[in-house]
Amino acid sequence: MFRGTTLKSAIALVATLALLAAGASIVRADSVDADGDTLETGNNITASCLTETDNGVLKLTYDSTGSNPKHYVAGTALTISSVVTNAGGSAITSAASNSTNNVAAIWNADGQTMTIPITTVVPANTPGGTYKVDYTVAGAGAGGGTVSRSRHFNVTVTCTPPSNTAPTVSVTGVTSGASYNKGSVPAAVCSVTDAQDGPSTFPATLSAITGPYAADGIGSQTASCSYTDAGPGPLSDTDSVSYNIVDSSAPVITPTVTGTKGSLDWYTSDVTVQWTVTDAQSTVAIDSGCAPSTTFTADTTGVTSSCTAHSAGGSASDSVTVKLDKTAPTGVALAPSGTAGVAPWFTSNVEVITNGTDATSGVSCTDSQPFSAETSGTTVNGFCTNGAGLTTNASPLTLKIDKTGPSAELNVTDGTPGGTNGWYTSDV
């Protein structure tokens, strides 16, 4: 709080300005002889190192004495200004209220007074010394022109600010030169060490990301800290750390192959290959291939479709080989081999072979079929299947085999057996 001694004095100087601060001393300040209304002298204030506030008043008195009195016009609006000065400047402030700065509507009697509240603030740790507070009150004069009155009071500060050591601030949470995956960058924090004000933390200021992939949030970034203590001084420190934000993975390349799947890795219909390239963290650039859609229609033992692309996370490539055979085996037929008799008979064991061809994926036909039993007609079937899984059946074959010659027997149908040893005695 402000401190002082109470001294009440009636100031009756013609055209003298004075200043009064509530709850503080009234002491004579500088005076200027003039005619007209007066403003009474204010108080001198003594302040320590703490923040102190003084609520006082300006006191305006009607005075008709003097050879050429100058009075404010009743009801006039006053312009009130203040200036705080000393050799080194100051943060001390003093200002009048704006709510009661009109002269009374009836302003015509000696000794009539009005008060205008003022507030003076002395911040903590204001350097010791004497500070001059000048107030000027101006308003329209009853005789024309402007009536202006000025006076001052002093603020005496008895404070020796404590010693102050410079603070240190450092960027924590991130490491200089480190690389962090996009989306996983630690929070950058300013950590303060201050012997007088104590430790503190606050978020670091982040720069814009720079580099060819900056628009994707990939590149170099700097976290900066700046801290200024409470004084005296005040003293400051700064720190900054630069690091990299990276894309940790190359693009993902995905082929989609559509068509009728045959055996193994063969297709038996037209085939369409579509490429999809994605990267969740940075922009993708196509280097070669990667056609959105390509259709293959001709039989082939292998045609390749490929895709190569890169992003901030690196390069990637992939390829697919399409093997296409839409044509079933041709020339499929059964071929019997053995001793031919009178067609269509065979007079020996018979082996039936199935034959066929496929120009693209190769062919596999029914295994050789051996027949040894005599038959008057056995149906034989066979087929060929190509590498893609397409099958062609051979026309059925009716196989006939007779390996046994005919047999003969003589019988006597007429004659007279009568002799011995099988002899006949008559015509036979």
Side-chain angles (χ1 to χ4, degrees):
M1 296 183 58
F2 295 111
R3 296 180 294 280
T5 57
T6 301
L7 173 62
K8 297 183 178 179
S9 61
I11 308 300
L13 295 177
V14 176
T16 299
L17 284 173
L19 200 60
L20 173 66
S25 303
I26 300 175
V27 297
R28 186 175 301 282
D30 59 336
S31 63
V32 177
D33 290 335
D35 296 326
D37 297 339
T38 62
L39 189 68
E40 288 194 9
T41 303
N43 64 308
N44 290 334
I45 300 171
T46 301
S48 67
C49 288
L50 302 177
T51 298
E52 304 196 31
T53 301
D54 179 75
N55 296 310
V57 295
L58 298 176
K59 185 175 181 181
L60 187 66
T61 303
Y62 186 96
D63 190 346
S64 63
T65 62
S67 59
N68 185 23
K70 294 181 180 179
H71 306 295
Y72 294 107
V73 174
T76 187
L78 299 174
T79 299
I80 304 171
S81 59
S82 63
V83 177
V84 181
T85 58
N86 81 320
S90 172
I92 295 175
T93 60
S94 188
S97 168
N98 291 325
S99 61
T100 56
N101 60 351
N102 288 346
V103 173
I106 298 175
W107 188 250
N108 57 9
D110 283 347
Q112 187 177 2
T113 62
M114 66 172 288
T115 58
I116 302 169
I118 63 171
T119 300
T120 303
V121 178
V122 182
N125 295 324
T126 297
T130 300
Y131 301 82
K132 181 181 178 183
V133 181
D134 285 284
Y135 265 96
T136 298
V137 179
T146 300
V147 174
S148 180
R149 297 289 181 257
S150 297
R151 282 295 178 268
H152 79 271
F153 62 89
N154 292 329
V155 177
T156 300
V157 178
T158 57
C159 175
T160 301
S163 61
N164 187 27
T165 56
T168 59
V169 63
S170 58
V171 179
T172 59
V174 291
T175 303
S176 179
S179 294
Y180 301 102
N181 291 337
K182 180 182 176 181
S184 300
V185 180
V189 177
C190 300
S191 297
V192 176
T193 301
D194 191 314
Q196 285 72 45
D197 301 335
S200 61
T201 59
F202 55 91
T205 300
L206 302 181
S207 71
I209 298 172
T210 60
Y213 291 93
D216 298 319
I218 303 293
S220 178
Q221 188 171 54
T222 299
S224 301
C225 295
S226 178
Y227 174 77
T228 300
D229 67 12
L235 301 176
S236 302
D237 190 30
T238 61
D239 190 27
S240 64
V241 166
S242 295
Y243 50 89
N244 299 307
I245 303 173
V246 300
D247 181 348
S248 59
S249 59
V252 176
I253 299 178
T254 305
T256 301
V257 182
T258 56
T260 302
K261 200 77 170 65
S263 298
L264 301 176
D265 52 355
W266 287 90
Y267 287 86
T268 59
S269 70
D270 292 347
V271 175
T272 298
V273 178
Q274 296 174 302
W275 291 100
T276 302
V277 185
T278 59
D279 191 311
Q281 296 182 317
S282 61
T283 302
V284 170
I286 303 299
D287 298 317
S288 64
C290 309
S293 181
T294 303
T295 300
F296 301 94
T297 60
D299 286 359
T300 175
T301 57
V303 60
T304 300
S305 177
S306 62
C307 177
T308 301
H310 72 273
S311 68
S315 296
S317 62
D318 197 3
S319 64
V320 294
T321 299
V322 175
K323 298 168 70 174
L324 176 60
D325 190 351
K326 299 187 292 182
T327 306
T330 59
V332 178
L334 298 174
S337 63
T339 302
V342 177
W345 289 88
F346 286 89
T347 60
S348 66
N349 293 342
V350 176
E351 182 178 15
V352 179
I353 298 173
T354 305
N355 295 314
T357 61
D358 190 282
T360 305
S361 60
V363 69
S364 175
C365 298
T366 303
D367 291 340
S368 174
Q369 303 176 75
F371 296 90
S372 59
E374 292 181 336
T375 176
S376 60
T378 298
T379 300
V380 180
N381 295 298
F383 60 88
C384 291
T385 302
N386 66 12
L390 298 177
T391 297
T392 301
N393 293 316
S395 297
L397 171 69
T398 299
L399 184 63
K400 296 181 177 183
I401 300 174
D402 187 353
K403 300 185 291 181
T404 305
S407 60
E409 183 179 89
L410 296 177
N411 293 312
V412 177
T413 61
D414 190 17
T416 301
T420 58
N421 299 322
W423 288 94
Y424 284 82
T425 59
S426 67
D427 292 339
V428 176

